[in-house]
Each structure stands twice: as structure tokens, then as C-alpha cells.
Amino acid sequence: MNSAADASKPLHIAFGVDANYFLGMGVAMVSVLENNRGQPLIFHVLTPSISDENAARLRQLEVRYGTEIKVHIIDPSIFDEFAVFPSFSQYSAAIFSRLLIAGTLQGVADKVLYLDADVVCQGSVAELMAIDIDDVVVAAVGDVGSIAEKQIATLQLSHQRYFNSGVLYINVDKWMAGDVWHGAVKAILGTSKKFSFPDQDALNIVLDGRAKILPPKFNWMYDLFGETSSGKKIAKEALFVHFVGRLKPWHNWCCNPENQLFLKYKAISPWADAVLHPPKNYKEIRMYSQGLRKSGRQLQGWLWYARFVLNKFTSR
């Protein structure tokens, strides 16, 4: 465990987002700030660009909570050295953003917490900050079940552990010393294999045996779509709730009431007036139809299924 004095140090928290994820990230920030009023926090946003509107909302957060938010615009030239890989054009630069965090913060912070934009905080980060990561590159929560088994086998992970990269507590100097950035990007681009989760899979390959596996409460994964009909509730003891899967809590077609955790923090955020995202293609319309039927709204579900059929064939 780290010394108690460490709790008075600022916790650096980083996000990597594009324009589609500022709403989720903003709500994630508010959830952390609301639950950690006594803890100094410094946020870092790695993004290709930021609108004036989102910049103004981030400034509102700084003033309201007395926090600091630093925006780092990603220079596209950092990817130039990888343009020689034939597969480079297949990937959006956004998937590499979390790999840039340690390089961006080296000399600024010795440890940084990375959060996906679909994460909501429910409690104090003090317990996380007390975890000793001096001898590892990252600390993360292991995936379980069929996904973990499949990825361990597919990626041939010798330590038989596969972690989810939605919440990463990063040892900055060890990450840089291990050149994780280059190793992970080359793992993605230097293979003919199609990774299921490109940057997450690459990190598991590069950090095999160099990650500390944390208890599930530090990245409590909840599939809003998969759990629509199960009635499963979000665990109260979860520090970070991670809304995995295609259905996000900012979608207006979410039929699972557990999205209220997200909406609670959205309502008190500078994004309170932001419109929730409607279905954007026929696949999401089909998911909405299924969600309605799973939640007992059969007539609405079948009406949206008819809309799905219409959109599927007119979009071809």
C-alpha cells in the first residue's frame, strides 16, 4: 500500500475522446467530482478537436468544482511513422488515444487513471489511490466468462489473464520505459488477424504478466442491452460502473432503467440540456425494437421492428 500522505496529492484522470463522446465524458467527470469533493483532481482530455460549446462546458466544470481540466489536442503527425503499415487506414486514430496518455503526462504525473467515457463513478477514489502499482505497468480489472476465455486463447496470453482497458491505473514511467505505445500500435497493425477489441487486445499482448488484476468493483461491467430483460441491478459497492456494449446510457432508445445512474449526473452537469442520441442506423433501430419487447412494450417493439425492416432495405 502507498503511504497515507499520497491521498493529499492530486489524482490525474485522463480521457481519450472524439466529438461523439464528450457528453459521456462530461457526465463521467461530474460523477467523479461529486463523489470526491475532498480529493484534488486534475483532468486531462486527449482529443483530435474540441468545439467551442464543449470547451465552454468544461470551463463551467472547472469553475463549479474548483478543479483543473487540461485539453490536449492530438497532433495527427504522431501517427506518421505507422503509415507504412498496410492496415493503418483501416483504423480510426481515436482507438489509439488511450495509448498516448502516458507520453502526454510523463513529467507531469507519476500515476494516472484512465477512464472510458462510458464509465460512471459511485464513490471515493481513495481506495484506488492506495493500491501499490510501483512494480507493474498498469492495474486493471480482468474480464471473465466466455469473452476472457476466448481472448486468452486467441491472443495466446501466457499468464492466462485478460483485462478490460476501460479503467486503467497507469504507472507512467514504467509504461514509457516499456515503450508500450509503440508495442501496442505495432501489435494492432503488424498482424493480419482482426482483433475483436483492437487497442484492448494489443495492450493485453504487450502487458501480458505486467498488469495487476484488481477486484471487479474498480471496473464493474454492465451491459445495458444484455440485461434489459434480466432485471439485474448495478452493484452499490461498485466504484466505477462501466456501461459496456453498443447500447450506451446517453442513447434515447435505452429501455433499461439502470441508465438512471448516468441520467442523475447528466441532470446536474453542464450537459444537462444535451439531447440524448437517437438510433442512427437500422442496426440500432433493431436493438431498440428488441429492447422494447424485452421490457414488455410489445406493441411499440413491433412498430419499431417494422421501421427496422424498412430502414434495412432502403439503406442498401
Side-chain angles (χ1 to χ4, degrees), residues 174-185:
K174 283 202 173 295
W175 181 292
M176 296 303 294
D179 200 14
V180 176
W181 149 246
H182 282 94
V185 175

Side-chain angles (χ1 to χ4, degrees), residues 15-42:
F15 296 86
V17 295
D18 60 20
N20 296 315
Y21 285 90
F22 268 88
L23 167 58
M25 179 193 70
V27 174
M29 286 181 175
V30 169
S31 72
V32 175
L33 288 161
E34 281 289 320
N35 288 289
N36 294 275
R37 287 184 175 270
Q39 170 62 53
L41 300 167
I42 299 175

Side-chain angles (χ1 to χ4, degrees), residues 238-267:
L239 173 58
F240 294 113
V241 179
H242 185 188
F243 292 104
V244 296
R246 288 184 59 188
L247 179 59
K248 300 303 180 187
W250 54 80
H251 288 147
N252 70 1
W253 45 281
C254 179
C255 298
N256 188 324
E258 292 300 281
N259 72 337
Q260 289 300 315
L261 176 65
F262 173 89
L263 296 178
K264 176 178 80 170
Y265 291 109
K266 177 182 182 291

